[in-house]
Amino acid sequence: MEFVKGKGQVKAEIVVNGAKKFEEYGFNGKDGEILVLPEKKKIYVGIEKIDSENLKTATSQIIRSLKKYKFESVEITPINTKNEDLLESFFMGFILGDYEFDKYKSEKAKHPIKKIAINSKRNFEEIIKKAVIKANAINFVRDIVNSMPDEMTPARVAAIAEDLAKENNLECRVYDENYLLENGYNAFYSVAKASAHPPRLVHLAYKPKNAKKRVILVGKGLCYDSGGLSLKPSDYMVTMKSDKSGAITALGIIKAVSELGIDIEVHAILGLAENMIGGNAYKPDDVLKAKNGKTIEVRNTDAEGRLVLADCLCYAQENIKDIDYIFDLATLTGACVVGLGEYTAGVMGFNKDIIDKILEAGNDRGEHFAYLPFNKYLPKLLKSNVADICNIASSRYGGALTAGLFLSEFIEKENKEKWVHLDIAGPAFVEKEWGYNPFGASGFGVDSLVKLIEGLK
Ligand code: BES
Ligand code: ZN
Ligand code: ZN
């Protein structure tokens, strides 16, 4: 698909706030409503309010509808605005809407629309370039997360990271299970121990000249989460290939940031492992020593993400000096999905200014984030009788917050105010399509975090 100037076979139009109604067809221009008139070669899509999310949804709907009619090109006039967020979203929607995951289907998806003809005198070249980079990074994340666990093992993801590093001129180091074992990453190692597919810790770095800030992204990369010995019920296990979303999102962000040439140094630390059962599986009652020396009582092997992340956070802080920001991304808790629903990520941390920046970036880019505040009563819920800390809370409430607080125990004092935890368990994987997201992996978070990083000065 490419964006060109000129005319197309069909004309598409975004109808804002019911400006046009076609009562004979029952079209009122409500959000996401679509009207295709093939004989007139016209397509209309309604949006009630102009914002990034609605624009992405509108243009993705245009592509989805026109695919059915096998048109090869569509003509459209971009919305009349100078706001770059809105324009980028307008262009991104076409690429996001064209995405279909057909890797394992005998009959491959068809992509009949080859040309998006832009009917305008304005020059959109720069904006289109950025929109294409970002949308491709999102589809890149979707493809990897959607791939089945037997294929997308920790070693395979590490190989993809190495390929990306070669293509985009990134530094890349890959550490295997022996490194983890020999260097005291006992929490990470233990989670991965029972799997036939050994773990990998991947460290990618994008280091532009004259970088203004140094940002660390730490991603939970559970290529499969069966729950381990605290085995998940079958219904809950399905979709757990998506438990690697945090790590893959970090990969997507560093891909986009490097391709956009943003002058911020970005490190992506991926904790890749499988949480499986077996004779040598780690067990409830085990006590694990993390890299920073803290001991952890395991009471539930399904709270594995925080164990992997604990060691990855230690790795980052030991190996990267003068950190300005450290963000972790993880499909960490079902509690976050219960609390906020499937469309919203939870944001936790000690620095409300950075958290506000994330909420704002989400607003600008059409992704939903909500702040979950810690308080002084929560830490005692993680007390252990046998170790420094327990991997699950003693209360059945507030699971997203206690998981976040667990992670905070592995943040050095000087970095506490630089750290933010993002629980993306809800929006990372789509079980029923919504907005511009088809079924499956969404690539949630790439767009907002790239925007946030771009704005760090
Ligand atoms: N990967 C899951 C969290 C999850 C649940 C992600 C649903 C996406 C959708 C995580 O490892 C997990 O199992 N967490 C447990 C923690 C509990 C044992 C304290 C949970 O949320 O139930
Ligand atoms: Zn789990
Ligand atoms: Zn998990």
Side-chain angles (χ1 to χ4, degrees), residues 187 288-296 306-307 309-315 317 326 388-390 404-413 415-416 419:
L288 316 175
K289 190 182 233 165
K291 174 69 177 167
N292 68 349
K294 284 203 180 169
T295 57
I296 308 165
R306 62 195 76 183
L307 301 171
L309 285 175
D311 272 343
C312 289
L313 289 166
C314 294
Y315 171 90
Q317 295 167 99
I326 176 162
D388 299 337
I389 191 170
C390 188
L405 267 181
F406 178 94
L407 297 179
S408 77
E409 291 292 321
F410 299 87
I411 302 292
E412 303 291 332
K413 208 166 165 203
N415 292 327
K416 287 263 197 253
W419 166 75

Side-chain angles (χ1 to χ4, degrees), residues 342-387:
E342 300 157 73
Y343 315 108
T344 306
V347 188
M348 287 153 258
F350 302 107
N351 185 332
K352 191 61 187 4
D353 290 340
I354 308 180
I355 289 170
D356 283 340
K357 282 189 187 171
I358 294 178
L359 303 185
E360 200 183 311
N363 247 336
D364 291 342
R365 301 306 314 139
E367 295 185 316
H368 300 270
F369 293 87
Y371 170 48
L372 302 176
F374 294 141
N375 64 52
K376 63 180 175 183
Y377 305 106
L378 292 163
K380 68 171 182 301
L381 301 175
L382 289 167
K383 282 215 150 70
S384 163
N385 289 318
V386 294

Side-chain angles (χ1 to χ4, degrees), residues 155-167:
R156 177 83 189 92
V157 176
I160 291 174
E162 284 178 317
D163 288 346
L164 178 71
K166 268 192 216 116
E167 260 167 54

Side-chain angles (χ1 to χ4, degrees), residues 220 222 225 232 240 243 275 302-305 331-332:
K220 169 177 173 181
L222 263 289
D225 180 12
K232 285 184 186 293
M240 277 303 138
D243 214 20
N275 186 20
D302 199 11
E304 83 300 335
T331 48
L332 203 61

Side-chain angles (χ1 to χ4, degrees), residues 12 34 43 45 58-66 74 76 94:
I34 199 122
I43 174 166
V45 58
T59 50
S60 69
Q61 290 282 32
I62 291 173
I63 288 299
R64 284 183 200 153
S65 310
L66 286 180
V74 56
I76 190 162
F94 293 103

